[in-house]
Amino acid sequence: MISYLLRRLLLVVPTFIGITLLIFALTRFVPGGPVERMLLSLQMQGASETGGTSSVTDGNNALSEEQIEELNAFYGLDKPVFEAYYDWLTKLVVLDLGESTRYYEPVWDMIAERLPVSLFYGGMTFLLSYLISIPLGYLKALKHGSILDSTSSIAIFVGFALPGYVIGVFLISLFSYQLEWFPMGGFISDDFDDFDDFGAFEQIKDIMWHAILPLFCYLIGDFALLTMTMKNNLMENLASDYVRTAIAKGLPFRKAVRKHALRNSLIPVASHFGNSLMFFMTGSFLIEVIFNIDGIGLLGYEAIMERDYPVVMGLFAINAMMLMIGNILSDVCVAVVDPRVKFGA
């Protein structure tokens, strides 16, 4: 296994370079960079001062060609793509993600500021999805065709068909706006610091009060997929010859399920385990936007909309690394569950 992991880790380097180089090149060819945004703001300022009679060329004339070239040099936009990418990659080696072109703050500091929020939602989503999906899929397989199986399947299919952000809009409209049971958004209340007088319990309760609706949106898609995967694979294994042979030899049905069928049914679920690692960092752009959660998802959405390319590249670099590490962890989890897998055989 050690030699296999070393080979996979060596493949991470060219894969990471290929992914980040592609994204870096796309950011150069997409219009609306920091210089264009500055020219647009000057255009809008000139339009407001002249009563809205200015044109696009008026904003461009506010800066000379030399000034525009200096701005391009300041943001590193005057270099060819490969040279600029090499500069970015050499900084990344020493864990320097650059500086935001919108807030002029280090990208690492901006990510670290929002990381606890994303870790909370990512960790809760990860734990709840597996703690609920595996037992529910197990029960649905054993009670296939029952009322429990039918009613839960309807809820699962409806949840799987609807995107999380659509469910988020519905939940906010009903439970936050109409019924006023939950807040409209945010991670904590405005007076969260005042809860220090009441102890940590009030702070935890406030966080969970804000987190119920977003967590439901995070869970619904991944939860539905894992539950149906667990159920379908367990039913397939229950119909296999080795399980029926074990029961025919006198092994109790429940014990045959737990000892033989269950472990083999966990193989597809284990292959999904590593890919869930990205939830610890990224979350969902649109869900965080809808609920106004100041996490990494909202940061990425704002960076894309504002063409804040250093932040975009920093988040993509982290996501790419997490995805590749997650794929390796998935292989390890499959090897732990499935004894037939032999690395290097």
Side-chain angles (χ1 to χ4, degrees):
M1 180 180 292
I2 295 178
S3 61
Y4 171 80
L5 291 178
L6 290 176
R7 291 196 303 268
R8 288 296 302 269
L9 290 175
L10 290 176
L11 287 175
V12 166
V13 177
T15 306
F16 178 82
I17 292 177
I19 294 174
T20 54
L21 179 58
L22 177 62
I23 301 300
F24 190 88
L26 288 176
T27 59
R28 289 307 184 95
F29 294 110
V30 174
V35 177
E36 288 85 352
R37 192 175 70 245
M38 183 177 298
L39 294 175
L40 180 61
S41 64
L42 291 175
Q43 173 195 348
M44 299 299 294
Q45 182 180 357
S48 62
E49 293 176 354
T50 58
T53 60
S54 66
S55 62
V56 177
T57 56
D58 294 331
N60 291 337
N61 292 334
L63 294 178
S64 63
E65 292 295 332
E66 291 77 10
Q67 291 174 321
I68 295 177
E69 291 177 0
E70 290 178 0
L71 286 174
N72 286 325
F74 176 77
Y75 290 115
L77 301 175
D78 59 330
K79 300 178 182 179
V81 173
F82 289 102
E83 183 180 351
Y85 174 77
Y86 178 78
D87 294 340
W88 177 82
L89 191 62
T90 52
K91 292 181 180 179
L92 182 64
V93 172
V94 294
L95 302 180
D96 182 9
L97 292 178
E99 188 177 80
S100 169
T101 59
R102 183 187 180 193
Y103 298 105
Y104 301 100
E105 297 179 7
V107 176
W108 268 122
D109 294 344
M110 298 176 64
I111 294 177
E113 183 181 356
R114 293 160 176 79
L115 186 59
V117 177
S118 294
L119 286 177
F120 170 78
Y121 281 106
M124 292 293 290
T125 302
F126 181 81
L127 291 176
L128 291 176
S129 61
Y130 278 91
L131 290 177
I132 297 176
S133 299
I134 293 177
L136 182 59
Y138 178 85
L139 290 176
K140 285 173 64 63
L142 295 184
K143 299 182 179 296
H144 177 65
S146 64
I147 298 178
L148 171 65
D149 179 45
S150 300
T151 54
S152 60
S153 294
I154 293 174
I156 286 173
F157 286 129
V158 171
F160 185 74
L162 295 176
Y165 59 88
V166 175
I167 298 177
V169 173
F170 170 74
L171 294 178
I172 288 180
S173 301
L174 179 61
F175 294 105
S176 299
Y177 181 73
Q178 297 290 341
L179 301 177
E180 298 183 355
W181 291 356
F182 297 99
M184 294 293 292
F187 183 66
I188 56 177
S189 301
D190 295 334
D191 55 349
F192 181 79
D193 294 334
D194 297 337
F195 293 154
D196 291 337
D197 299 333
F198 301 97
F201 176 75
E202 292 294 331
Q203 293 182 330
I204 295 175
K205 185 172 72 172
D206 180 73
I207 293 175
M208 296 307 301
W209 185 50
H210 286 77
I212 290 177
L213 297 184
L215 278 177
F216 187 84
C217 298
Y218 276 116
L219 283 170
I220 191 67
D222 205 40
F223 159 76
L225 180 62
L226 287 174
T227 302
M228 297 310 299
T229 300
M230 182 64 194
K231 177 197 172 183
N232 295 335
N233 283 277
L234 183 56
M235 290 184 61
E236 181 180 353
N237 283 288
L238 289 176
S240 300
D241 293 337
Y242 69 93
V243 175
R244 292 189 295 181
T245 302
I247 296 175
K249 289 184 176 181
L251 189 67
F253 176 75
R254 296 279 181 175
K255 190 173 182 180
V257 172
R258 291 193 302 268
K259 189 175 181 180
H260 297 287
L262 181 59
R263 183 172 181 178
N264 290 334
S265 302
L266 289 174
I267 295 174
V269 178
S271 64
H272 187 268
F273 186 85
N275 295 332
S276 301
L277 189 65
M278 285 198 305
F279 275 111
F280 283 91
M281 286 292 297
T282 57
S284 172
F285 285 6
L286 295 179
I287 292 178
E288 291 194 4
V289 171
I290 291 171
F291 287 97
N292 194 27
I293 301 172
D294 194 15
I296 292 184
L298 182 59
L299 175 64
Y301 175 82
E302 292 177 346
I304 293 174
M305 297 302 295
E306 295 292 335
R307 304 295 195 272
D308 195 348
Y309 295 144
V311 177
V312 172
M313 286 303 304
L315 292 177
F316 266 108
I318 294 175
N319 291 341
M321 187 61 65
M322 297 287 284
L323 178 61
M324 289 183 289
I325 294 176
N327 289 334
I328 298 176
L329 288 179
S330 295
D331 294 341
V332 174
C333 292
V334 171
V336 171
V337 175
D338 190 354
R340 297 171 298 178
V341 176
K342 301 295 182 182
F343 292 117

